[in-house]
Amino acid sequence: MARLRIALALAATLVLPGVVVGTAQAAPTTAAALPPGSPAAVNGQLRVCGVKLCNQHGKPIQLRGMSTHGIQWYSQCVKSASLDALAHDWKADVLRISMYIQEGGYETNPRKFTDLVHGYIEEATKRGMYALVDWHQLNPGDPNHNTSRAKTFFKEIANRHKNKTNIIYDIANEPNKVSWSRVKSYAEQVIPVIRAEDSDSLVLVGTHGWSTFGHSDGKDPQEVVRNKVAAQNVMYTFHFYAAEHGSDYLNVLSKVSDQVPVFVTEFGTQKADGDQGNDFTQSQKYIDLMNAKKISWVNWNFSDDERSGAVFKPGTCAGNSFTGTGRLKPAGVWVRDRIRTADDFPTS
Ligand code: IDC
């Protein structure tokens, strides 16, 4: 009750038109900005508990949601009508904001892309979703190429949003052609910058071999398990594309998720190019495993790109019709159903 009164008093002083602004003195809450009953309001501040993700009541939960496409290409798909559909029709718990660094992304205009991300975090918050901020490094694969950029970006993002309970930081999308020790070293430079601003939010760390714990590179996934990142409240990411990544990848996910906390921040029902035919049979095996173990997942991608992995038919984002299945490709129909499945969020 006392907490509620403080939250309401703070909300009254902090709410500006459409934006919740934290101050240096503000107690860590912006809970009033989250719609009551929404996934982020019900679950609150997330914490790693053993190898699981737990909500504010200390109970293991699974979050499900969608990733944007690269926001340098498909920001037109991230607008009021599409986000309303994602939150209320798809009933997503999490929006992954995919900000590429290269390929016309952050490095070309840090101010513009940082501001875009700030805006999307507010939009996710208004709709009661977790905002997963994805530092989408990809090529070059060594995240150390972008360390100073990452520090600048995450310092500002964490400073602005530290009082929110619905922010998740992913510091490296898919390290590749790089050793685990180099990724770990990068993580141990960037995480303290985030922690200096925001001491308690969840941080996700990509793994080598395009976030497969090295498996795509023929490395032993136990390397990560034996040599964990020196930080608290951290999860490791695993990615798969079901039409290409069969039972060996599934077995890796199954094994490592019993050993360290794992978050599937990206997967597709196609091949790794995000295109061609869907393998819904293999995809369902992953879904079943992730449900059974309460592994949170995010699907690629919430756009109208022509590839099969983009959920909307080309041209959809020019309009304002995003609800239902009429505008969806087969992968979209399939994954919407799996996101809409009732959540199991303990409330005490
Ligand atoms: C793809 C995009 C495509 C882009 C390419 C290279 O769909 O438009 O040209 O990246 O940037 C990943 C990556 C993700 C990929 C996706 C599908 O995280 O950036 O998107 N994928 O190929 N890992 C495995 C697959």
Side-chain angles (χ1 to χ4, degrees):
M1 192 57 182
R3 261 176 57 201
L4 182 64
R5 266 201 305 275
I6 293 167
L8 291 173
L10 270 170
T13 56
L14 298 180
V15 175
L16 298 176
V19 189
V20 177
V21 185
T23 69
Q25 291 79 32
T29 177
T30 51
L34 295 166
S38 64
V42 169
N43 292 301
Q45 183 60 58
L46 303 171
R47 268 179 235 300
V48 174
C49 50
V51 295
K52 303 289 190 214
L53 178 63
C54 279
N55 70 6
Q56 61 183 339
H57 305 294
K59 301 285 166 51
I61 58 162
Q62 178 197 42
L63 301 176
R64 286 171 276 150
M66 290 300 300
S67 178
T68 70
H69 202 302
I71 56 175
Q72 81 274 39
W73 296 311
Y74 286 95
S75 60
Q76 67 275 21
C77 295
V78 194
K79 59 187 188 180
S80 291
S82 62
L83 293 174
D84 283 347
L86 185 62
H88 306 127
D89 177 47
W90 290 51
K91 304 187 190 303
D93 311 316
V94 51
L95 170 71
R96 180 193 195 222
I97 302 160
S98 174
M99 186 191 70
Y100 280 68
I101 320 310
Q102 278 74 42
E103 300 183 62
Y106 177 86
E107 68 175 1
T108 66
N109 191 340
R111 186 70 265 140
K112 175 185 152 188
F113 283 98
T114 307
D115 286 341
L116 264 182
V117 172
H118 282 316
Y120 295 150
I121 293 169
E122 300 298 345
E123 295 303 321
T125 303
K126 275 191 237 168
R127 292 168 176 83
M129 294 185 282
Y130 286 91
L132 196 168
V133 178
D134 163 30
W135 183 255
H136 204 92
Q137 58 68 233
L138 185 62
N139 188 9
D142 183 348
N144 293 284
H145 179 79
N146 293 305
T147 303
S148 67
R149 292 184 191 97
K151 286 181 175 172
T152 301
F153 172 76
F154 280 111
K155 183 177 169 57
E156 180 174 325
I157 294 292
N159 177 271
R160 176 87 64 96
H161 302 286
K162 63 187 166 196
N163 289 344
K164 291 185 170 67
T165 55
N166 64 315
I167 182 123
I168 302 172
Y169 309 95
D170 181 351
I171 62 170
N173 164 52
E174 290 188 351
N176 59 84
K177 305 183 192 112
V178 63
S179 66
W180 171 243
S181 62
R182 293 276 293 157
V183 180
K184 176 175 144 75
S185 159
Y186 162 81
E188 289 170 357
Q189 293 172 65
V190 175
I191 293 171
V193 173
I194 297 174
R195 290 289 185 240
E197 303 292 333
D198 182 348
S199 59
D200 62 354
S201 290
L202 186 65
V203 176
L204 309 179
V205 180
T207 55
H208 57 315
W210 289 272
S211 287
T212 64
F213 282 69
H215 183 65
S216 273
D217 282 344
K219 300 272 167 54
D220 178 2
Q222 292 302 307
E223 214 183 318
V224 178
V225 176
R226 282 194 298 261
N227 195 15
K228 297 189 192 84
V229 171
Q232 300 302 307
N233 219 23
V234 160
M235 303 182 89
Y236 301 87
T237 75
F238 187 87
H239 292 181
F240 64 86
Y241 280 77
E244 190 166 337
H245 301 143
S247 55
D248 56 323
Y249 281 75
L250 188 70
N251 291 340
V252 169
L253 175 58
S254 180
K255 182 166 182 187
V256 296
S257 60
D258 286 341
Q259 300 174 309
V260 292
V262 177
F263 197 124
V264 171
T265 46
E266 192 184 298
F267 83 91
T269 50
Q270 319 70 29
K271 295 201 170 172
D273 63 358
D275 204 2
Q276 309 176 60
N278 297 290
D279 187 339
F280 292 131
T281 306
Q282 181 66 17
S283 299
Q284 189 61 45
K285 291 183 186 166
Y286 281 103
I287 293 287
D288 292 343
L289 177 81
M290 295 189 290
N291 287 352
K293 294 184 179 241
K294 288 195 186 292
I295 298 171
S296 296
W297 57 257
V298 173
N299 179 259
W300 181 262
N301 66 80
F302 200 65
S303 85
D304 64 354
D305 181 81
E306 75 279 4
R307 297 167 183 80
S308 64
V311 295
F312 295 109
K313 293 174 186 164
T316 301
C317 296
N320 278 307
S321 300
F322 294 94
T323 57
T325 56
R327 304 293 313 169
L328 296 175
K329 298 199 194 99
V333 175
W334 187 90
V335 76
R336 174 176 171 273
D337 271 349
R338 279 149 189 82
I339 292 174
R340 277 167 63 89
T341 309
D343 290 314
D344 175 18
F345 294 147
T347 53
S348 62

